[in-house]
Amino acid sequence: MNAIERGDWRLERDADDLVWLTLDCPDRAVNTLSQSVLAQLDATLDALDASKPKGLVIRSGKSTGFIVGADIGEFAALESADQAQRIIERGWRLFERISALRYPTLALIDGHCLGGGLELALACRYRLAVDRPSARLGLPEVMLGIFPGWGGVKRLPRLIGAPEALAMMLSGRTVDPRRAERLGLVDARVPERIAEHAAAQLVRSGRPAARAGHLLRLLESAPFRQLVAAKARRDVEAKDPDRHYPAPRTILELWERHDGDPLIEPTLVGRLFGSAVAANLIRVFHLQERLKGFARQGDARDIRDVHVVGAGVMGGDIAAWCALKGFRVTLQDQQIERIAPAIARAAKLYGRRLKRDHRAIRDAMDRLIPDPDGAGVARADLVIEAIGETLEAKRDLYRALEPLIKPGALLATNTSSLDLTALREGLSEPERLVGIHFFNPVAKMPLVEVIHAGDGASDETRRACAFVGALDKLPLPVRSTPGFLVNAVLAPYLLEAMRVHDEGVAAEIIDAAMVAFGMPMGPLELADTVGLDIVRDAGRGLTDGAAAPRCLEQHLAQGQLGKKSGRGFYSWQDGKPAKGKPDDAPDGLALRIVRPLIERTRAQLAAGIVEDADLADAGVIFGTGYAPFSGGPLSDERLAPSATGAGATMRDDR
């Protein structure tokens, strides 16, 4: 085949008159659909009009995936809604053109296919996905505070049915190739070795384009469309009753009233693009990418075997997650009876994550090996300690482990508060002990703090960050200090909430006020979830010697530890707190409770616990769930610095 370079695109026509169009954006790790890339694609289609092929296959030239979406940097630089409208119009018209081509088109998807990348694939007649479990397909624009403007809102419901399509678009949820095949999002998933052959065969097949079944197509027509939209709208209201996020409602309106065509009502574009929420969510996206960048600075390819000491909730769940992500894991505790509950929790996790993929569930369970005698220590490339927060107990364990650990293996602690320098005392190779601090629940919390003792650029820390990245988590390097970043800012926040409760304000009112503020969970429900005994122990060194709140002491005196004991600030049934309907919160309650969190975040930044304010915001957002729409605690426009610059005063503009 003769290749013709067209900027970021490479065009090749084979002996069967099929055109293979490959996107490979130079100087970028991933393919994105910038305005330049779209213009080149439009010009390429012009050239093909002069000599129409028998078929067109669009694929990626990168090993990192297909296309991850539009160029987010271009959206972040927009200065007006008119500029946004022009970008949307170009992509919409181009993909409409692809959809109307007389010759068959196919998107050969290998790796991530997101946002505008999936909208391009949806505009093709066929879609094949290379069968990689790590690949994700979806329209996550809502996570950036915007909507799929290049045809996704129109085409995805027609392909897989409105209920599933709306659920994906309104949540930003992505699916792997196996799930995509079940949904009908792709025509098939194929092994890499036969992907090109399968693509050529399908594009020549003459098969009609896939579409949703008859009953699902019926939901596209009135009045069923209004019923589907009403159901989805109720779900949106339940998740965001305070209307912090306008994008999901705009997506619903765009689908219900305009069949996904954003050119019909340009005001929908102006409502979102350039808004403070979209700007903050785009900033949060860039913060996330920066955290991912720490994982790329190191090399953890030599870490294959992981040994975890401590099969409690944290240790057991860390081991389960590592096994889910492909590592061979040995899990040690003093008795097999202590390991059994962790194995049972792992089985439930794999069932939820892997659905009906029984082979994948079996493989994950096979990788998680009970090891009460610690035989896996000598083989492990990484040993993670996850026992109780007692300095001497941890040191004793390290002294026992160090002679058994092979040269070059990392030793890590999951400590949530202890000083790394103190933990290293007595080790012959102290530099290889690093902190890898996961948060509870491990499966849901995206952030992992990687603790260093002022040696943030060490090989050990870089390897630890790379390992965290291999777990699909976000590594945040932090300097060792009590509580590091996340727990240090949470402790005074929880303390203030409990003080308010001591003053007679009901737990339901406190938690409702903070959820309305934008937190994913109220502070007292969070304390119950973490465990009131853990909150007490972790808080002792993080609240400047403040006395424990009366309510906390009373619950602990009665053996009420929160969710794990069935009773704390709430009664817990089937893993959920029983709550009454809250009364209205007193004026300024949310701002009073959040003030200590903001002040401590500023203090940790000033002390150099994290490198800069962006990383402080990132850590608190991804480690505590602090309202992403606000941009983070140091960027929240609802918080205003005092006239003197000391501390923070706050206003409530809602």
Side-chain angles (χ1 to χ4, degrees):
M1 292 189 292
N2 294 323
I4 301 174
E5 300 291 339
R6 292 183 173 272
D8 300 301
W9 298 90
R10 185 175 69 253
L11 185 150
E12 300 164 283
R13 192 182 291 252
D14 67 17
D16 294 323
D17 202 25
L18 296 183
V19 167
W20 298 78
L21 189 58
T22 305
L23 177 62
D24 192 352
C25 299
D27 304 321
R28 283 180 177 264
V30 295
N31 286 328
T32 60
L33 296 176
S34 66
Q35 292 301 288
S36 173
V37 168
L38 293 178
Q40 294 165 25
L41 177 56
D42 210 7
T44 300
L45 295 179
D46 288 341
L48 291 178
D49 281 346
S51 178
K52 291 182 174 58
K54 291 184 179 178
L56 171 65
V57 177
I58 300 175
R59 61 183 177 178
S60 167
K62 293 191 180 296
S63 61
T64 52
F66 182 64
I67 302 170
V68 298
D71 187 331
I72 301 301
E74 291 184 344
F75 281 108
L78 291 175
E79 297 180 353
S80 69
D82 288 342
Q83 290 179 335
Q85 185 70 19
R86 287 194 291 272
I87 288 178
I88 288 175
E89 183 172 353
R90 162 172 267 172
W92 172 271
R93 296 197 185 283
L94 175 58
F95 291 177
E96 285 287 292
R97 178 182 184 182
I98 293 172
S99 179
L101 288 172
R102 301 296 295 271
Y103 49 85
T105 54
L106 180 145
L108 179 54
I109 301 166
D110 187 359
H112 291 339
C113 177
L114 303 170
L118 183 57
E119 290 182 292
L120 172 57
L122 290 170
C124 294
R125 185 180 302 181
Y126 309 114
R127 286 155 298 283
L128 280 182
V130 175
D131 191 11
R132 297 187 191 279
S134 61
R136 310 302 295 180
L137 294 83
L139 297 173
E141 284 88 345
V142 71
M143 307 297 289
L144 300 176
I146 56 179
F147 59 79
W150 292 343
V153 179
K154 169 185 174 180
R155 294 190 177 91
L156 188 61
R158 293 182 180 183
L159 182 63
I160 67 173
E164 189 66 46
L166 289 174
M168 288 181 64
M169 291 188 291
L170 296 176
S171 66
R173 177 170 56 87
T174 60
V175 297
D176 61 18
R178 180 182 293 269
R179 176 68 174 158
E181 183 182 42
R182 288 201 194 106
L183 289 172
L185 180 54
V186 297
D187 295 275
R189 57 190 172 92
V190 295
E192 181 184 13
R193 68 181 184 278
I194 64 168
E196 290 189 6
H197 175 75
Q201 189 175 48
L202 180 56
V203 81
R204 291 195 303 258
S205 68
R207 278 174 43 180
R211 58 186 303 193
H214 175 72
L215 290 177
L216 289 174
R217 293 202 303 273
L218 191 62
L219 297 179
E220 292 274 320
S221 62
F224 297 107
R225 182 179 289 245
Q226 286 73 29
L227 292 174
V228 172
K231 166 65 168 62
R233 194 168 282 111
R234 287 193 296 272
D235 293 342
V236 169
E237 292 296 335
K239 294 176 181 177
D240 182 29
D242 295 283
R243 295 177 167 260
H244 293 304
Y245 299 94
R249 296 169 178 86
T250 303
I251 290 171
L252 274 174
E253 184 177 351
L254 185 62
W255 175 74
E256 181 183 10
R257 295 180 55 197
H258 307 300
D259 195 28
D261 186 346
L263 307 187
I264 294 176
E265 189 173 339
T267 57
L268 295 179
V269 176
R271 184 187 303 173
L272 298 184
F273 289 86
S275 69
V277 171
N280 284 333
L281 291 178
I282 289 173
R283 176 174 180 266
V284 170
F285 168 81
H286 287 301
L287 294 179
Q288 178 176 271
E289 291 303 301
R290 184 175 175 194
L291 295 180
K292 290 179 180 179
F294 289 118
R296 294 190 288 269
Q297 293 176 8
D299 188 353
R301 287 175 294 180
D302 61 334
I303 299 178
R304 302 180 187 88
D305 289 86
V306 177
H307 184 78
V308 179
V309 183
V313 171
M314 287 303 298
D317 289 359
I318 291 168
W321 187 260
C322 291
L324 176 66
K325 293 302 175 179
F327 292 89
R328 176 185 166 98
V329 184
T330 44
L331 178 58
Q332 179 182 356
D333 211 311
Q334 295 172 329
Q335 298 167 334
I336 192 67
E337 292 78 12
R338 295 189 178 186
I339 301 175
I343 302 298
R345 287 197 311 276
K348 291 181 179 179
L349 170 67
Y350 301 156
R352 290 194 305 270
R353 290 275 174 169
L354 301 172
K355 307 298 181 185
R356 293 184 295 273
D357 191 342
H358 301 295
R359 179 177 179 178
I361 293 172
R362 182 199 66 200
D363 290 346
M365 292 299 297
D366 287 347
R367 289 192 294 268
L368 180 58
I369 304 167
D371 184 16
D373 298 324
V377 174
R379 185 177 59 249
D381 306 302
L382 168 64
V383 177
I384 302 176
E385 165 270 306
I387 66 173
E389 288 290 278
T390 305
L391 180 63
E392 284 306 319
K394 289 179 184 289
R395 283 176 173 170
D396 289 345
L397 176 62
Y398 302 154
R399 282 192 285 269
L401 289 173
E402 191 173 31
L404 306 176
I405 297 175
K406 67 183 182 182
L410 273 180
L411 176 60
T413 173
N414 186 52
T415 182
S416 60
S417 59
L418 297 177
D419 179 65
L420 188 62
T421 301
L423 290 170
R424 285 174 167 177
E425 288 182 10
L427 289 174
S428 60
E429 295 183 59
E431 67 281 354
R432 76 169 168 184
L433 175 64
V434 297
I436 303 180
H437 178 217
F438 294 81
F439 296 93
N440 188 25
V442 173
K444 292 184 178 180
M445 297 301 292
L447 189 79
V448 176
E449 291 177 318
V450 177
I451 319 302
H452 59 86
D455 52 353
S458 70
D459 288 340
E460 291 78 12
T461 302
R462 284 192 289 264
R463 284 181 71 200
C465 286
F467 169 71
V468 169
L471 296 178
D472 289 332
K473 299 291 186 182
L474 302 175
L476 173 66
V478 295
R479 187 165 62 80
S480 182
T481 191
F484 316 127
L485 176 67
V486 174
N487 281 351
V489 306
L490 273 179
Y493 167 68
L494 298 179
L495 175 64
E496 188 66 20
M498 293 180 195
R499 283 173 173 161
V500 170
H501 190 46
D502 278 347
E503 294 170 10
V505 181
E508 289 89 346
I509 294 175
I510 292 169
D511 283 350
M514 296 317 302
V515 170
F517 182 81
M519 294 297 197
M521 178 185 294
L524 299 185
E525 182 179 346
L526 175 62
D528 266 3
T529 302
V530 171
L532 300 187
D533 53 337
I534 295 174
V535 170
R536 174 199 59 198
D537 295 344
R540 281 173 175 161
L542 302 175
T543 53
D544 301 323
R550 292 192 309 276
C551 57
L552 178 61
E553 295 286 12
Q554 289 168 0
H555 285 304
L556 291 172
Q558 298 175 58
Q560 298 173 354
L561 306 181
K563 182 178 180 179
K564 60 187 174 185
S565 70
R567 176 69 192 177
F569 289 102
Y570 299 100
S571 293
W572 289 78
Q573 298 176 349
D574 299 324
K576 296 181 179 180
K579 295 183 179 181
K581 185 176 181 180
D583 295 329
D584 292 338
D587 290 343
L589 178 64
L591 297 179
R592 171 188 167 181
I593 293 172
V594 82
R595 179 180 292 113
L597 182 151
I598 307 299
E599 293 174 345
R600 182 59 63 86
T601 303
R602 288 180 173 143
Q604 298 301 92
L605 173 62
I609 306 309
V610 289
E611 183 178 333
D612 53 43
D614 281 349
L615 291 182
D617 273 341
V620 179
I621 289 170
F622 294 111
T624 74
Y626 190 97
F629 70 85
S630 72
L634 302 184
S635 305
D636 196 333
E637 291 185 355
R638 297 172 296 176
L639 318 176
S642 68
T644 62
T649 59
M650 305 185 187
R651 61 179 184 268
D652 191 344
D653 292 330
R654 290 174 296 139

